Every structure is written in structure tokens, then in C-alpha cells.
Amino acid sequence: MNQNDELTNKTFDQALTLLEQSDELTEQDVTRLTADGAVMGAARELWAVKKGVERSRVAVPDADGEWQRVSERLDGIKGGSHVVGRNRWMGRHKKLCASLLAAAAVLLLIAMVWRGRTAEKMDAGELVYEATDAPREIVISTGKGREVVLGRQTVSGVEVDGESSDKLVVAYQQPMTSHIVESHAVTIPQGKMLKVVLSDGSEVWVNAGSRLVYPTCFVGSQRCVDLEGEAYFKVAPDAAHPFVVKTPGSQTCVLGTEFNIKSYRNQTEQITLVRGSVEVTVGKHGESSYEGAHQSMVLKPGQQLSVHNRQLSVQEVDTDIYTYWKDGFFFYDDERLDEIMRQIGSWYNVSVVFRNPRPRSYKIHFFCDRSSTVEQVVEQLNMLHKGYLKLTEGVIYVD
């Protein structure tokens, strides 16, 4: 055991002694415990586990009931030596369980105090994004009900490449004549993106907070995929098999082209055409979710179609603004600072608080590599002199 382990154990022993002596820890006790980095690290981990259990809705086990059932089973063992052995076993394990439960109670208390103090600090301003405990791993769900975490597990028939976890590429290289077809769905968490090469050679860049559903092999007269969120498509030409992208609000049909679709829930849907031609349909058409008469519109390169409450509008745009993300960049053109900070907070999973409300409405131009650290992004934003940003204990404060 090294010196750090001895110090940590000593701190835990002190915490356990405090808990045994009193049902509550004083403010002074908590301050002393939270000053210890090892204890705080353990507390944060335990808090994450606690939240994870809550999210999965796992029932808390009845420890007393289980212990009673074990005791009853052991009582059925005949013979004095067995009883003595049982009593020794129960004595040792009761002490161990008591220590573990006490340690867990202390750590949870510290974690809740730490969480509460963070919340108190954030209450001092306007919270525009709050960090979460949600998993931040790319997951592929297969038609057989299996969930695969990219970078940890493999999928049969799928090649995975990438120099780092945030630059992964998955490729499906099955011929369209294949009779083995399975539906896959890839879910991208915040702070990640993924390039998917479909079986026909089409390339799809899937942005953070998005979900793409597609077959492992295209069969039939159309090549259909479903999208929730944002993705950039570079479709392989095939006049005999149109490529169709379905979202909750529209259906985009192409032969071979490049375009970006942004279709997040509760946001205006945008289809931005970079090159080629697409036909977008909204309303009762095929499997579109809208009811009523459908509307169709053909876009030209450089045009962007917006869909809001079934209403369509087209404008000429600089397509680079809407596609820089696929190359790994933040790019904002005349965007409100609070919206920029919301997206940055989401990408890095850090809370963002405006202690000075005035900068929220400032509109700025900002360009930054998404592989930069959050500290580097804060530094670059401060160079614009549109409010002062400070990163403290996992929270970005804007003054």
C-alpha cells in the first residue's frame, strides 16, 4: 500500500468515525472531507453511479430481507461445527457490510453536499446549459437487439476505423444483391460525431445528439434511411435506386448529391443543398408523419429549405456555414452568445451560467476547432471581448 492509499484510508476512517458518532455531519466536518481530493473523486463517482441506477430504474435491493433469508438458510445446516463456522462467517461479513454501507453513506452525503453547493453557485446567474450524467458513447443497435459500444466492441460485417474515439468511421461493404439484411441504428451522444459508410458507398456524417437508422444492405427499388437530428449526406449515384432520407417532418429524395439535413426535435427543420439536386416532400406522402395534402419542392445548389409548422420557405445561403461541423469545427455567423454557449456547454458537458445577462443577446462570429479543449475555447471567446468567461469547477461563468 502506497502513501496516498494510506492517506485515503485514514480519511475514510475519519469519515466513518464521524458518522458512527453522529447522525449528521457538521459544516466543519463536510468542509474538511471535501478538501480531500481522493474523497471528492470517490464521491463524484458514487454520485454518477447513483444517478445511473436512478435512470435505469433499478429497484434498490432489500439488504435486511436478503440477510434474513441467508441467515434462515444457514440455520438449516446441522452440526455444531457448522453453526460455529456460520457464526464466524456472519460476524466477519456483517462487519464488512456495515463498513461498506457506512462508507457509501458518507460518500453519498459528501456528493450531495458537493452537488448542492454547485447548484447554489449556479443559482447566482441564468443557467443556459446544465451538465448531465448521461453516457457519452456512440452506440450501434442491431436488429437482433444487441447494443454495441464503438471502440469497445465489434459488429460482425462492419469495419471500424479511426485514430481516436471522436473520429471513428464505420463501414458497411455488402453488395446490394446480399440476402442478409438487418436494420442498424447508430446513436450519437453530445460531444461526438461519426462517419458512416453505407453498403452502397454513400457517406453520412452524423452529428452530436442524432440518431440514424439504416439497413446493413440496401435491397428493393429505393435506398431508405431515417434520421433524427443532423447529418451530412454524400450520396453515391444510382439512378435505378433513389436515395431517400426520412425525418419526422419531411422526406428527401435524391439520385446522387451532397446535402445537409438538420431535424432536431422542437426546432425548425433545414435542408441545405451543397451540390446536385434534391426533392423535398412535406405532408401526407409515403410514410411522412404529417397529415393532409403534401407539398414538394426541388432545391438547387446553395439553397436551403426551412420547414416550420408545415410551412416551407427557401433562401440562398453560404453552405459552408451549415456544413463546417462535419469537418470538426464550430462555426457561428452572427449567432447569439447564449445559443453558442448552450452548444459549447453541450459539446463539452459543462454547465454554463450567465451572471451578467447583458452578453446573452450579443451576436458574434466565431470559428473554432471542436477538438480544442474547453479551456482553449473559453480563452478564444474571451479574445472577442463580448463578456468575460471563466471556467471554475466544471462550470463556465459569463460575466
Side-chain angles (χ1 to χ4, degrees):
M1 180 181 294
N2 59 37
Q3 186 176 6
N4 290 334
D5 290 336
E6 292 177 355
L7 289 174
T8 300
N9 288 339
K10 183 177 180 181
T11 305
F12 283 141
D13 289 341
Q14 292 173 348
L16 292 174
T17 300
L18 285 170
L19 194 66
E20 290 172 357
Q21 293 174 350
S22 174
D23 292 335
E24 297 183 358
L25 295 179
T26 67
E27 181 69 17
Q28 183 180 3
D29 294 332
V30 172
T31 300
R32 178 152 50 88
L33 291 171
T34 54
D36 186 278
V39 172
M40 287 305 298
R44 290 188 179 96
E45 290 178 5
L46 189 59
W47 180 270
V49 170
K50 177 177 179 292
K51 300 302 289 185
V53 170
E54 289 175 356
R55 286 195 304 273
S56 61
R57 298 181 181 179
V58 176
V60 177
D62 180 4
D64 292 334
E66 289 299 325
W67 187 263
Q68 181 62 33
R69 281 188 283 276
V70 171
S71 177
E72 290 173 356
R73 286 198 297 271
L74 289 173
D75 283 337
I77 301 176
K78 303 298 183 181
S81 61
H82 290 286
V83 173
V84 172
R86 180 204 69 187
N87 290 337
R88 289 176 179 172
W89 181 86
M90 290 181 66
R92 289 197 302 269
H93 284 73
K94 278 185 176 180
K95 290 180 180 179
L96 175 61
C97 289
S99 297
L100 289 175
L101 288 172
V106 171
L107 288 176
L108 271 178
L109 178 59
I110 295 171
M112 288 186 286
V113 171
W114 162 74
R115 188 81 170 187
R117 287 178 175 174
T118 301
E120 288 176 4
K121 292 179 181 178
M122 292 192 294
D123 286 342
E126 298 179 69
L127 180 68
V128 298
Y129 181 80
E130 184 174 9
T132 73
D133 297 318
R136 297 174 71 84
E137 297 173 313
I138 299 174
V139 176
I140 291 182
S141 303
T142 70
K144 297 179 180 179
R146 182 186 176 202
E147 290 195 344
V148 177
V149 177
L150 287 189
R152 293 189 190 177
Q153 302 160 286
T154 60
V155 187
S156 178
V158 180
E159 296 180 3
V160 180
D161 189 21
E163 57 193 48
S164 61
S165 60
D166 59 343
K167 294 183 179 179
L168 289 173
V169 178
V170 297
Y172 295 76
Q173 296 296 335
Q174 298 186 53
M176 293 187 66
T177 56
S178 173
H179 297 293
I180 303 175
V181 181
E182 187 176 296
S183 177
H184 280 191
V186 62
T187 303
I188 314 297
Q190 296 299 336
K192 302 283 185 179
M193 61 174 286
L194 178 71
K195 179 181 177 182
V196 180
V197 181
L198 301 174
S199 63
D200 65 338
S202 295
E203 300 173 327
V204 187
W205 288 260
V206 190
N207 204 358
S210 303
R211 176 182 171 85
L212 181 72
V213 182
Y214 52 91
T216 56
C217 170
F218 290 112
V219 294
S221 60
Q222 292 184 331
R223 298 171 287 167
C224 297
V225 302
D226 291 89
L227 172 69
E228 296 178 16
E230 183 170 20
Y232 182 92
F233 295 84
K234 185 177 181 180
V235 178
D238 185 347
H241 302 88
F243 193 97
V244 179
V245 182
K246 298 177 182 179
T247 70
S250 70
Q251 180 171 282
T252 301
C253 183
V254 304
L255 298 178
T257 184
E258 293 187 38
F259 58 99
N260 191 83
I261 295 183
K262 186 176 182 180
S263 182
Y264 288 105
R265 183 173 298 180
N266 299 324
Q267 293 185 24
T268 297
E269 184 169 314
Q270 295 177 332
I271 298 95
T272 307
L273 183 61
V274 177
R275 57 177 55 88
S277 178
V278 301
E279 181 183 20
V280 182
T281 301
V282 174
K284 191 175 182 180
H285 182 82
E287 296 181 11
S288 179
S289 61
Y290 285 143
E291 296 181 355
H294 71 268
Q295 305 175 65
S296 295
M297 187 169 293
V298 176
L299 297 183
K300 298 178 181 179
Q303 289 185 328
Q304 181 183 82
L305 173 66
S306 297
V307 182
H308 182 66
N309 292 333
R310 307 190 207 180
Q311 300 299 312
L312 310 183
S313 61
V314 179
Q315 61 178 335
E316 301 286 335
V317 297
D318 178 357
T319 59
D320 286 343
I321 296 175
Y322 302 93
T323 60
Y324 267 124
W325 68 264
K326 81 176 182 65
D327 298 315
F329 295 98
F330 293 114
F331 186 91
Y332 301 101
D333 181 51
D334 200 31
E335 186 76 63
R336 283 175 59 110
L337 182 59
D338 55 0
E339 175 59 23
I340 292 174
M341 294 310 302
R342 185 189 66 78
Q343 294 185 33
I344 288 174
S346 176
W347 181 262
Y348 292 103
N349 196 32
V350 294
S351 298
V352 179
V353 176
F354 278 75
R355 291 192 290 208
N356 180 1
R358 183 176 297 177
R360 288 194 62 168
S361 59
Y362 290 170
K363 291 190 174 183
I364 65 174
H365 301 270
F366 183 62
F367 182 85
C368 180
D369 193 327
R370 291 208 293 193
S371 65
S372 301
T373 65
V374 64
E375 290 83 3
Q376 291 171 328
V377 174
V378 167
E379 182 179 352
Q380 292 183 50
L381 282 167
N382 277 330
M383 293 173 65
L384 300 177
H385 302 292
K386 296 292 185 178
Y388 175 68
L389 284 70
K390 183 179 180 181
L391 178 64
T392 304
E393 296 181 354
V395 180
I396 297 177
Y397 295 99
V398 185
D399 295 315

